[in-house]
Amino acid sequence: MAPKNYVAVVALTIGLAACSSDRMTTRALPGGPRFASNLVEDSKGRLLFSELKSGSIRRYNTKGSLEPDPLAILDVFTQGERGVLGMALDKKDNIFVSYTIADASIGSLRLVVDQVGSDGSLSRVWDGPPSTEADTGGRIQFTEDGLLAVAIGSGRLPKVAKTSAGKPTFSGPDTAGVRFPDDAKYDEFLGSIVTIDADGDADQTAVVVTK
């Protein structure tokens, strides 16, 4: 049986191979990350990765040593194909992450985008559409003109149980295909790539650029 950190080691090994300038070399990095879901390199040659389910954002220094403390720990909702789904750096090495949360304001499980501060603080960049049990999407990347592109999956929105007072709860499983009354405003995002302003407010309107 493969060790639990097998996937992460493979991903980090591939990353190091791709970063080699003169010839391809590979080596496994120490530290045992748990299910690395994203891997990016900053302008100083350091490798940053996220852990899908724990919400940790970690970094290896240029000598290949894992820094002892996470850069940030996100409060993620991880049921199904959810967790930390995307990570990107802007030209100043500012860190942006997309991940799923339980959001009572919409009575659903939402995909959001945050900027990670140097002190580990989080600033909401975009409150995205509700997430789904499968096919939420969530990959992010900066465009040439500095906008942040977000891939939205084609999965239908989840069913969330509600108490007698009408408040949402998040303990039950999702049911594919069950719709909320206000779902129509999210329909245009399904299966699309949208762009947002990385310096914008959380309630900014995303622009659909491709379906």
Side-chain angles (χ1 to χ4, degrees):
M1 180 178 294
K4 291 182 179 180
N5 63 349
Y6 176 79
V7 175
V9 170
V10 170
L12 292 171
T13 300
I14 292 173
L16 280 178
C19 295
S20 178
S21 58
D22 52 352
R23 61 188 181 87
M24 181 174 290
T25 59
T26 63
R27 64 186 178 92
L29 293 176
R34 294 177 295 172
F35 207 143
S37 56
N38 298 278
L39 181 70
V40 296
E41 181 185 10
D42 68 14
S43 62
K44 297 180 180 179
R46 299 173 297 186
L47 291 176
L48 292 79
F49 67 94
S50 61
E51 293 181 346
L52 179 70
K53 299 296 186 180
S54 74
S56 293
I57 308 298
R58 308 294 303 272
R59 182 170 62 196
Y60 282 94
N61 62 28
T62 54
K63 296 181 179 180
S65 297
L66 181 64
E67 296 181 2
D69 298 321
L71 301 178
I73 300 178
L74 311 176
D75 185 13
V76 294
F77 189 93
T78 60
Q79 182 175 301
E81 297 179 5
R82 298 186 179 95
V84 186
L85 301 175
M87 181 164 60
L89 305 179
D90 66 10
K91 294 180 179 179
K92 297 181 179 180
D93 284 341
N94 292 313
I95 305 168
F96 293 82
V97 290
S98 62
Y99 61 104
T100 50
I101 64 170
D103 190 341
S105 69
I106 60 170
S108 188
L109 309 170
R110 189 193 285 274
L111 175 69
V112 299
V113 178
D114 283 359
Q115 180 177 349
V116 180
S118 58
D119 60 353
S121 61
L122 301 173
S123 300
R124 184 60 43 84
V125 174
W126 185 48
D127 283 327
S131 67
T132 51
E133 179 75 6
D135 196 14
T136 291
R139 295 300 182 188
I140 59 175
Q141 181 176 324
F142 276 94
T143 66
E144 292 183 356
D145 54 0
L147 295 174
L148 192 56
V150 185
I152 307 299
S154 57
R156 304 309 267 174
L157 305 181
K159 177 182 179 180
V160 177
K162 294 190 177 183
T163 66
S164 58
K167 295 183 179 180
T169 61
F170 302 98
S171 57
D174 293 345
T175 302
V178 176
R179 313 279 292 168
F180 290 117
D182 61 348
D183 284 354
K185 65 181 180 180
Y186 299 112
D187 278 350
E188 64 175 316
F189 292 142
L190 295 179
S192 68
I193 294 176
V194 304
T195 56
I196 58 175
D197 181 358
D199 296 319
D201 296 325
D203 61 352
Q204 65 176 294
T205 301
V207 177
V208 176
V209 294
T210 183
K211 291 286 287 185

